[in-house]
Amino acid sequence: MELNPFSYQFHENPYPTYRWLRDSAPLYYNEKLNFYALSRFRDVLAASHDWETYSSVEGTQVERLDPNMFDLTPMVIFLDPPRHDRLRKLVSRAFTPRRVGDLEPFIRTTAVRLLDELAAHGGGDFVKEFSAPLPMEVIFTLLGVPQGDRQQLRAWMDLSLERDHDSPQIPARAIEAMAHSIQYWFNLLSELRRRPNEGLICALIDAEVETDNGDTTKLSDGEIVGFCSLLGAAGNETVTKLLANAVVLFARDRGEYGKILARPDRIPNAVEEVLRYTSPSQYQGRTVTREVEWYGQTVPKGSRILLLTAAANRDDREFSDPDRFQIDRDVPIALGFGQGIHFCLGASLARLECRVALEEFGRRFPRYAVDEHSCRRVHMSNVHGYESVPFTAK
Ligand code: HEM
């Protein structure tokens, strides 16, 4: 067996490979692609908290991104402290549970508008018509992206994450799409400097950040664009996947669906279980800053190592009957949002969007079926989920 994050078959069902890794190769080395991987819950958790040893500065995917990108548009997800902490502090205020809570009416109105349309047609494509547009409207409204630009921008972001079967090379179409979106953000930024709006980008233009010697300075255009790209991509991609995974799981298991229909107050816990059971973000890549030892083997300094959160979330050393989807399960540590200093900045927003979406979906579609043969998966290096989920009301 091998772990090949670029295999399209692997994307269909990675869980048998993860079981083999946990049981037979808890420290795994892939010679061809030159990376290590940890898969047991306690190991992944410990490494996630140790940013000094497990650094993010060389990227968090298996494939190496263009190092120029890190300089041109620095992003918190690819930074270690102290710069990580300074930049994260600037935007974290916008994502506290209280601030995010203010968005609930907007999220609900948007969800209702999209779902009423689907209900009128007796179903449709859950991803294309609901779980993609909902988070897109939320994050782009928050950032202040003009309505007319949103579809194109999201299409570029999707494309920039696409990978070819069995190849660690980033495809030309992904590189082009990434360049288009970065150019778009720079253009929008200069437009907003001339004509500000109420969005978060304008708050970042005005924000002040501390320098190494204790002075304060404004963010550079590259730093603001880094935030835009990261928040745009993180805000769009993952919620889309989690919601579609939820709807496929509930179509398979009417018993579990019945539980949230009967008691919508169980939805927040159900969201945690979907996150555990099929994590949209499958792993976090790191580079080790010193030689480390796991299970009697040495991982040399400078090695790439994957923290396989999706494998850890099915570890039977941590969870009883981990391959069963149980919405009442107690999931005390949400490893699907990462842990440690890079813990998902948008976790409160994601939880809110998912809760509201499932509440409104349940109201309109108490009985529905998913045509699983027609579902299509995305093929992205560390994002797991569907690009198309056809469903019909019953
Ligand atoms: C179900 C939805 C989501 C999932 C599963 C998810 C997952 C994750 C994970 C696993 C990380 C840690 C990355 C690492 O350690 O390298 C992360 C970080 C991050 N997420 Fe999310 N995310 C979700 C939604 C969102 C949303 C809606 C936003 C938008 C605000 C967002 C913004 C971020 C940011 C900015 C970071 C980087 C934080 C840092 O490096 O300090 N995420 N997310």
Side-chain angles (χ1 to χ4, degrees):
M1 266 193 140
E2 64 157 6
L3 166 63
N4 175 1
F6 301 101
S7 152
Y8 282 15
Q9 285 90 6
F10 172 73
H11 298 163
E12 288 300 321
N13 183 8
Y15 292 99
T17 309
Y18 291 155
R19 173 178 292 280
W20 169 77
L21 288 169
R22 286 188 311 263
D23 291 346
S24 304
L27 174 74
Y28 169 79
Y29 179 58
N30 183 313
E31 215 174 305
K32 203 165 79 191
L33 296 169
N34 191 22
F35 69 82
Y36 291 81
L38 291 171
S39 47
R40 291 186 181 170
F41 190 93
R42 289 286 141 189
D43 300 347
V44 170
L45 184 63
S48 300
H49 279 287
D50 182 2
W51 61 266
E52 277 161 311
T53 308
Y54 299 90
S55 162
S56 296
V57 294
E58 289 184 30
T60 58
Q61 292 166 323
V62 180
E63 65 277 24
R64 306 249 166 187
L65 301 175
D66 180 355
N68 291 326
M69 193 201 79
F70 297 108
D71 295 336
L72 181 68
T73 58
M75 300 183 198
V76 283
I77 201 162
F78 302 142
L79 291 173
D80 290 343
R83 196 170 174 205
H84 165 271
D85 300 3
R86 275 187 223 135
L87 287 182
R88 180 170 165 132
K89 210 165 84 185
L90 286 182
V91 285
S92 54
R93 257 167 292 152
F95 293 97
T96 58
R98 202 173 58 82
R99 287 289 290 276
V100 161
D102 295 343
L103 297 171
E104 181 164 346
F106 173 73
I107 296 172
R108 196 173 296 280
T109 311
T110 310
V112 164
R113 172 171 57 78
L114 295 165
L115 286 168
D116 279 350
E117 187 78 6
L118 282 166
H121 293 97
D125 191 318
F126 184 81
V127 177
K128 293 197 165 69
E129 294 166 77
F130 183 65
S131 75
L134 176 69
M136 176 187 84
E137 291 302 339
V138 174
I139 194 71
F140 285 164
T141 301
L142 205 81
L143 286 169
V145 175
Q147 192 70 46
D149 301 343
R150 295 180 180 184
Q151 292 285 1
Q152 175 63 76
L153 188 54
R154 199 180 62 79
W156 281 328
M157 291 185 152
D158 280 349
L159 201 56
S160 67
L161 294 174
E162 271 185 26
R163 297 294 179 264
D164 289 331
H165 172 57
D166 208 13
S167 168
Q169 295 300 325
I170 302 179
R173 63 182 185 287
I175 295 172
E176 272 163 35
M178 169 78 78
H180 281 307
S181 63
I182 296 283
Q183 190 55 56
Y184 172 84
W185 289 118
F186 275 108
N187 293 345
L188 178 63
L189 188 54
S190 46
E191 173 65 25
L192 288 173
R193 283 192 191 283
R194 284 193 300 274
R195 259 171 290 184
N197 65 18
E198 297 292 296
L200 186 60
I201 301 177
C202 290
L204 288 173
I205 293 175
D206 294 333
E208 299 214 312
V209 63
E210 216 176 281
T211 59
D212 285 338
N213 58 18
D215 294 343
T216 52
T217 176
K218 297 272 186 196
L219 290 177
S220 68
D221 281 7
E223 284 169 329
I224 299 176
V225 168
F227 268 124
C228 294
S229 309
L230 174 60
L231 292 172
N236 270 303
E237 292 299 332
T238 46
V239 174
T240 301
K241 308 301 180 284
L242 190 131
L243 282 173
N245 290 345
V247 158
V248 171
L249 287 170
F250 283 130
R252 277 184 206 156
D253 194 333
R254 294 211 51 80
E256 293 303 292
Y257 190 45
K259 289 184 191 167
I260 62 163
L261 290 180
R263 291 257 318 268
D265 60 319
R266 290 170 164 174
I267 291 176
N269 207 70
V271 170
E272 301 304 308
E273 174 66 347
V274 177
L275 181 68
R276 180 195 74 83
Y277 195 81
T278 50
S279 310
S281 167
Q282 294 271 293
Y283 71 81
Q284 280 76 65
R286 299 289 189 257
T287 306
V288 293
T289 57
R290 60 177 176 85
E291 190 178 287
V292 288
E293 193 160 308
W294 284 99
Y295 301 99
Q297 293 175 67
T298 301
V299 179
K301 179 179 171 178
S303 305
R304 180 60 53 110
I305 188 163
L306 308 189
L307 312 181
L308 294 169
T309 39
N313 273 329
R314 297 278 193 108
D315 189 351
D316 57 12
R317 293 157 197 80
E318 189 68 22
F319 301 100
S320 65
D321 210 357
D323 292 325
R324 239 182 95 202
F325 174 61
Q326 288 172 299
I327 66 129
D328 289 331
R329 185 192 289 277
D330 190 20
V331 189
I333 299 174
L335 204 53
F337 283 127
Q339 288 291 316
I341 61 161
H342 294 283
F343 179 77
C344 179
L345 185 72
S348 297
L349 177 59
R351 285 172 166 141
L352 175 64
E353 287 181 55
C354 292
R355 170 172 67 75
V356 171
L358 291 177
E359 282 168 7
E360 297 300 336
F361 182 80
R363 280 195 191 123
R364 282 158 191 80
F365 297 99
R367 294 179 61 80
Y368 70 96
V370 166
D371 176 7
E372 282 210 48
H373 293 294
S374 308
C375 289
R376 273 201 319 278
R377 287 196 176 272
V378 295
H379 297 294
M380 299 173 168
S381 73
N382 70 342
V383 181
H384 181 69
Y386 297 96
E387 67 171 25
S388 173
V389 173
F391 81 106
T392 39
K394 285 208 299 191

